[in-house]
């Protein structure tokens, strides 16, 4: 697939998969291709490939809708921001089959992204959606990124629902229908996610961050679903690949069945306070992580991805960026006072 995903208009890129939708990444296949190209040892096939053009939009819509019962969906009033990306093409055939009232924003395909970057994880890119939700008095809204593999919900008050909370919502719905299933979540997600999965009788498995790591693990554990704080949601019945549209539909189904507003449902499952991701440039990533490890030696330490430290009332993860001399901090606590106090202590060390 040729796509720059959620990146700005000046970017472009490739998403490369092998058979059965297995993704290639820097440490999972692409490194071998790079080595082969640099050493000119690529083996050319004796047969040439071919190019075929086929419109699968109807079949795609039907498959996405197979995750729910459209007849059971309530007539919600929803604002949808397609961000001038691919959601503008993939969503309309699905909406035609649903009894919802949709107010459309930026459904015109335009790779220059004239209205805002198609990256709904950043709050500044949700301003138009938040205004329109208030203007039309919608029940909630949803925004998709450039290639529509990610999505974020926004409640009627304009509050963004984090990817981890969407992971919890999807898990809630799927475990009602398929009890005892395995669900993966990355280590940045709120504690509310594994707590809900286990409370519903499912098996929760924590993973490192990144689709190239999660997809193989989903196959290994035959997990029905996997979610990330970044808004990536993976489904076993979607070839273990991610789909923002399917996640949206499953959440729509949950809200229809529960007879609750989005903000009320989130309040029901989320008792915690989170920092969001705090990025800090540092001279030495390794030295800072070791300083933090020493400072937090009285906590429960996990080095699955960077360093995670857990206490009774607070936890955090500190991990390096893959591309910059940055440390990424995510934290969560049972109260805002504890969160603020702990963040002040940790950031003082990181920024010293």
């Amino acid at each position: 697939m040729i796509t720059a995903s959620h990146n700005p208009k000046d970017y472009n890129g490739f998403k490369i998969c092998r058979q059965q939708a297995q993704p290639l990444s820097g440490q999972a296949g692409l490194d071998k291709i790079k080595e082969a190209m640099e050493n000119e040892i690529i083996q050319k096939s004796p047969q040439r490939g071919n190019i075929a053009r086929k419109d699968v939009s109807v079949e795609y819509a039907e498959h996405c809708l197979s995750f729910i019962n459209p007849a059971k969906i309530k007539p919600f009033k929803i604002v949808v921001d397609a961000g001038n990306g691919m959601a503008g093409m993939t969503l309309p055939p699905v909406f035609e089959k649903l009894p919802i009232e949709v107010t459309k924003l930026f459904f015109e395909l335009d790779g220059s992204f004239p209205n805002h970057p198609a990256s709904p994880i950043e709050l500044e890119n949700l301003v138009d959606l938040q205004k329109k939700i208030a203007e039309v008095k919608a029940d909630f809204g949803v925004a998709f990124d450039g290639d529509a593999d990610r999505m974020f919900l926004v409640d009627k008050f304009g509050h963004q629902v984090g990817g981890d909370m969407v992971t919890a919502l999807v898990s809630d719905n799927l475990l009602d229908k398929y009890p005892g299933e395995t669900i993966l979540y990355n280590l940045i997600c709120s504690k509310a996610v594994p707590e809900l999965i286990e409370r519903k009788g499912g098996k929760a498995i924590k993973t490192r961050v990144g689709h190239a790591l999660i997809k193989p693990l989903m196959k290994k554990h035959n997990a029905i679903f996997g979610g990330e704080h970044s808004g990536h949601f993976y489904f076993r019945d979607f070839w273990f690949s991610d789909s923002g549209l399917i996640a949206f539909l499953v959440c729509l189904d949950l809200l229809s069945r529960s007879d609750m507003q989005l903000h009320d449902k989130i309040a029901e499952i989320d008792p915690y306070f989170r920092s969001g991701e705090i990025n800090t440039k540092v001279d030495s990533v390794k030295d800072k992580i070791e300083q933090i490890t020493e400072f937090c030696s009285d906590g429960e330490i996990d080095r699955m991805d960077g360093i995670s430290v857990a206490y009774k009332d607070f936890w955090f993860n500190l991990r390096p960026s893959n591309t910059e001399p940055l440390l990424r901090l995510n934290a969560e606590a049972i109260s805002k006072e504890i969160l603020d106090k702990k963040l002040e202590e940790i950031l003082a060390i990181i920024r010293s």
Side-chain angles (χ1 to χ4, degrees):
M1 178 187 291
I2 301 173
T3 173
S5 186
H6 59 283
N7 285 303
K9 62 182 180 180
D10 296 330
Y11 286 71
N12 213 337
F14 293 94
K15 288 184 177 179
I16 304 175
C17 292
R18 56 188 301 170
Q19 65 267 35
Q20 298 181 333
Q22 296 179 64
L24 300 185
S25 70
Q27 301 300 318
L30 288 184
D31 52 345
K32 294 180 180 178
I33 294 174
K34 178 183 178 183
E35 181 182 357
M37 293 177 66
E38 289 176 343
N39 294 286
E40 298 182 350
I41 55 174
I42 293 179
Q43 295 180 353
K44 293 185 179 180
S45 171
Q47 297 179 326
R48 289 180 61 85
N50 60 76
I51 297 174
R53 295 181 180 274
K54 184 178 180 181
D55 184 352
V56 296
S57 56
V58 173
E59 293 91 340
Y60 177 76
E62 289 175 350
H63 182 68
C64 292
L65 286 165
S66 72
F67 283 77
I68 65 170
N69 182 350
K72 300 290 187 179
I73 299 301
K74 293 190 174 179
F76 289 108
K77 190 173 187 179
I78 305 169
V79 182
V80 181
D81 185 345
N84 297 113
M86 284 307 300
M89 177 176 288
T90 58
L91 297 183
V94 172
F95 290 159
E96 289 175 3
K97 305 292 185 181
L98 298 174
I100 57 177
E101 180 183 340
V102 176
T103 299
K104 297 179 180 178
L105 288 178
F106 317 133
F107 269 57
E108 307 77 21
L109 299 182
D110 189 338
S112 69
F113 304 114
N115 296 289
H116 59 71
S119 181
I121 194 170
E122 283 92 19
L123 295 178
E124 61 266 27
N125 297 327
L126 296 177
V127 172
D128 293 310
L129 178 61
Q130 292 164 328
K131 288 181 178 177
K132 186 60 70 171
I133 289 171
E135 178 186 324
V136 304
K137 295 181 171 57
D139 294 303
F140 63 94
V142 58
F144 292 83
D145 78 339
D147 56 359
D149 63 344
R150 296 196 302 154
M151 76 91 184
F152 281 86
L153 299 174
V154 175
D155 70 21
K156 66 186 295 184
F157 302 109
H159 301 138
Q160 182 198 57
V161 177
D164 51 356
M165 287 301 104
V166 174
T167 297
L169 293 175
V170 174
S171 300
D172 192 353
N173 199 16
L174 292 178
L175 288 171
D176 277 344
K177 298 179 179 181
Y178 310 101
E181 288 280 4
T182 297
I183 293 175
L184 273 56
Y185 67 99
N186 77 23
L187 52 78
I188 306 299
C189 288
S190 167
K191 283 175 59 179
V193 175
E195 288 173 351
L196 180 142
I197 294 168
E198 291 165 2
R199 190 165 64 245
K200 302 277 290 190
K203 180 180 180 182
I205 296 179
K206 183 167 64 175
T207 76
R208 294 175 62 193
V209 175
H211 75 102
L213 299 167
I214 288 179
K215 290 177 181 177
L217 285 173
M218 285 193 64
K219 289 186 177 182
K220 175 183 176 182
H221 296 285
N222 195 33
I224 192 172
F225 171 64
E228 295 198 83
H229 71 295
S230 56
H232 285 285
F233 310 107
Y234 313 89
F235 296 87
R236 182 173 64 200
D237 292 335
F238 194 64
W239 300 276
F240 296 100
S241 292
D242 41 342
S243 171
L245 174 53
I246 294 173
F248 165 71
L249 290 172
V250 174
C251 289
L252 189 63
D253 182 62
L254 175 68
L255 294 174
S256 296
R257 292 192 308 106
S258 67
D259 198 26
M260 296 179 70
Q261 287 283 337
L262 175 60
H263 62 280
D264 291 326
K265 190 64 180 176
I266 295 298
E268 180 184 72
I269 64 176
D270 180 22
Y272 299 111
F273 296 81
R274 286 176 291 283
S275 65
E277 191 156 88
I278 303 171
N279 295 316
T280 306
K281 286 189 175 182
V282 295
D283 293 329
S284 173
V285 167
K286 181 180 177 181
D287 288 348
K288 287 299 178 184
I289 288 181
E290 291 310 313
Q291 288 178 31
I292 292 294
T293 303
E294 184 177 348
F295 177 74
C296 299
S297 59
D298 57 334
E300 182 181 332
I301 295 176
D302 179 358
R303 290 186 177 269
M304 175 183 286
D305 195 347
I307 177 176
S308 297
V309 182
Y311 296 93
K312 181 178 64 175
D313 53 4
F314 171 78
W315 70 267
F316 72 91
N317 171 265
L318 187 67
R319 61 191 178 90
S321 164
N322 291 325
T323 57
E324 302 175 82
L326 288 177
L327 281 174
R328 305 189 189 282
L329 174 65
N330 286 270
E332 181 177 69
I334 62 172
S335 72
K336 189 175 185 307
E337 292 74 21
I338 292 173
L339 179 65
D340 291 344
K341 179 177 182 295
K342 295 292 187 179
L343 280 177
E344 184 179 356
E345 295 173 355
I346 294 167
L347 286 172
I349 296 173
I350 295 173
R351 294 170 177 172
S352 63

